[in-house]
Amino acid sequence: MSADTNGNGRGREHAGPAEPAPWTIRPGTPLDDTGDQLQDPYGATQSGPASASGTRGRTGGRAAARRARSGRGAAAAASGTPDWGALADRESRRRARARTNKMRIGAALTVLAVVGITGVWLATSSGDDSGPAAQTAPTEAPVDPAGSGTAKPTFKPVPTIPPAPGSAKVLADPQLDTAPFTPEALFPTARLGIDGRVYNVVAKRLDNTCADAANPVLGDILRTKACVQIIRATVTGPDGTAATVAVAAFASPDDARAAAADGNGNRDASLLGLPGGPVKELCPQPAPDKPGVTCIRQTNSVGRYGVFLVGGYPGPDNRIDPAKGDPKVEQAGDDLDRVVRDTLTLRGEQRSQAIYDKAKAEAEKALEGK
């Protein structure tokens, strides 16, 4: 057995052939990643400080593994071939360490990603308007060409359409009640039907001087209340009855109510019957050479219109008992009063709708910019 001397002046015996080995152990052999010296492929290792048991102070399986590797290295050196088992063990340990390092790096990156996402979520949920997540797209403010600092609206105001005034308001206001005031407008048909009772219109007339359609007493009332125009219509009804109904136009509802009240309160105030068709004479006024004929009288008002009626039987004969009256004539008077008031109400409704339609059309025209 021969001895070789390394660069540190320490010696180690090597088992092998009688002739010296073709290589020597180099001083300062590097350690592997576990702190052990790297195994020479031919089994030679550099000696380190030994413990009492001849090892480097490590015990257990690792020391035994190194001894086993040293034995294999010695055997490989004796046979002159590399210790392929030692090389394989070292490569396996290197790859295991590489996999461990990759797993540690991947885990660290995952933790960082989770922390970053959590931080963004917390910033968004905290309601902090200063963070990027809370920023919203800026809206373009209207341009202020004058530079006054006051934003100008960029839309056109929608025109306001006033509601329909309603029939009552129309009939009370001459400025709104502009529909034609003619016999044809108030009595457009030749027949009137009410609850199965039929009345035939036999005469119609418009007087611009209201007193011409009344006796002197009622005529004076109409002049006093500033009656403007009056329309009369004569009808024949069931059982030979007949009546003349009149619609007088006033400047205001107050004048119409006052005229109706004064005419009803004076027994001598009466509308003159309008002859027409089969009715040659109706409710003639008393004269020096003949007595008067008893007839019924009715007055009413709707808006600025006064409604007056005189009814009985055609001719100069007195067929109504002044003490008892006549139910048939009274029924005719009620029916005609109702027809006229409904006609005036419809007039107001139609005019009210026309006013609204006109305002709506003007608003739509203005909105279109025409």
Side-chain angles (χ1 to χ4, degrees):
M1 181 178 296
S2 63
D4 293 326
T5 303
N6 60 22
N8 292 329
R10 293 177 297 188
R12 181 184 178 94
E13 293 182 351
H14 297 272
E19 295 182 2
W23 48 268
T24 60
I25 298 177
R26 294 176 297 278
T29 303
L31 300 178
D32 60 14
D33 294 336
T34 61
D36 297 331
Q37 289 179 343
L38 291 175
Q39 178 69 36
D40 187 89
Y42 293 95
T45 59
Q46 181 176 349
S47 300
S51 62
S53 60
T55 68
R56 294 178 61 195
R58 299 191 181 186
T59 60
R62 296 181 64 179
R66 286 196 300 274
R67 288 193 298 271
R69 290 196 297 271
S70 298
R72 290 196 302 269
S79 62
T81 61
D83 188 355
W84 300 111
L87 291 174
D89 290 343
R90 185 173 62 184
E91 180 65 17
S92 177
R93 290 195 303 275
R94 185 189 67 78
R95 291 181 179 179
R97 289 192 299 272
R99 286 195 301 270
T100 301
N101 291 336
K102 290 181 179 179
M103 292 177 63
R104 290 174 179 173
I105 294 172
L109 292 176
T110 301
V111 171
L112 291 175
V114 171
V115 171
I117 294 173
T118 304
V120 171
W121 179 82
L122 290 176
T124 304
S125 303
S126 64
D128 185 4
D129 294 338
S130 62
Q135 298 295 325
T136 58
T139 57
E140 184 178 354
V143 179
D144 183 11
S148 61
T150 302
K152 304 297 182 183
T154 58
F155 57 88
K156 290 184 178 180
V158 178
T160 301
I161 304 176
S167 178
K169 188 173 182 180
V170 168
L171 296 177
D173 188 352
Q175 300 298 323
L176 300 178
D177 184 19
T178 58
F181 185 72
T182 63
E184 290 72 22
L186 295 183
F187 302 98
T189 63
R191 294 169 64 90
L192 306 176
I194 302 175
D195 297 336
R197 295 179 292 274
V198 179
Y199 299 87
N200 298 310
V201 179
V202 297
K204 294 182 290 187
R205 179 174 175 174
L206 169 65
D207 288 300
N208 292 321
T209 302
C210 297
D212 294 344
N215 68 3
V217 178
L218 181 59
D220 187 58
I221 294 173
L222 296 178
R223 280 192 299 267
T224 302
K225 303 306 178 185
C227 176
V228 179
Q229 289 177 309
I230 189 168
I231 294 174
R232 288 180 291 172
T234 298
V235 302
T236 59
D239 302 318
T241 60
T244 295
V245 60
V247 178
F250 295 86
S252 69
D254 292 339
D255 292 337
R257 284 192 296 267
D262 291 346
N264 186 57
N266 193 325
R267 291 176 58 90
D268 295 331
S270 175
L271 183 72
L272 295 179
L274 176 67
V279 180
K280 304 303 180 180
E281 187 178 21
L282 179 64
C283 300
Q285 293 294 306
D289 56 345
K290 62 179 180 178
V293 176
T294 302
C295 289
I296 65 167
R297 297 178 302 111
Q298 290 182 345
T299 61
N300 212 328
S301 68
V302 179
R304 65 187 186 95
Y305 298 101
V307 181
F308 303 89
L309 181 141
V310 60
Y313 295 95
D317 297 335
N318 192 358
R319 299 173 55 181
I320 298 176
D321 186 346
K324 296 180 179 179
D326 191 305
K328 297 176 183 178
V329 176
E330 292 173 0
Q331 181 65 62
D334 292 341
D335 288 345
L336 293 174
D337 177 75
R338 176 180 168 186
V339 167
V340 170
R341 287 189 291 108
D342 289 347
T343 300
L344 291 172
T345 300
L346 179 61
R347 172 189 175 91
E349 291 175 352
Q350 292 175 342
R351 183 57 190 156
S352 174
Q353 185 63 41
I355 293 172
Y356 174 79
D357 292 342
K358 181 180 179 181
K360 181 179 178 182
E362 292 176 350
E364 291 175 350
K365 184 177 180 180
L367 187 61
E368 293 173 358
K370 297 182 178 179

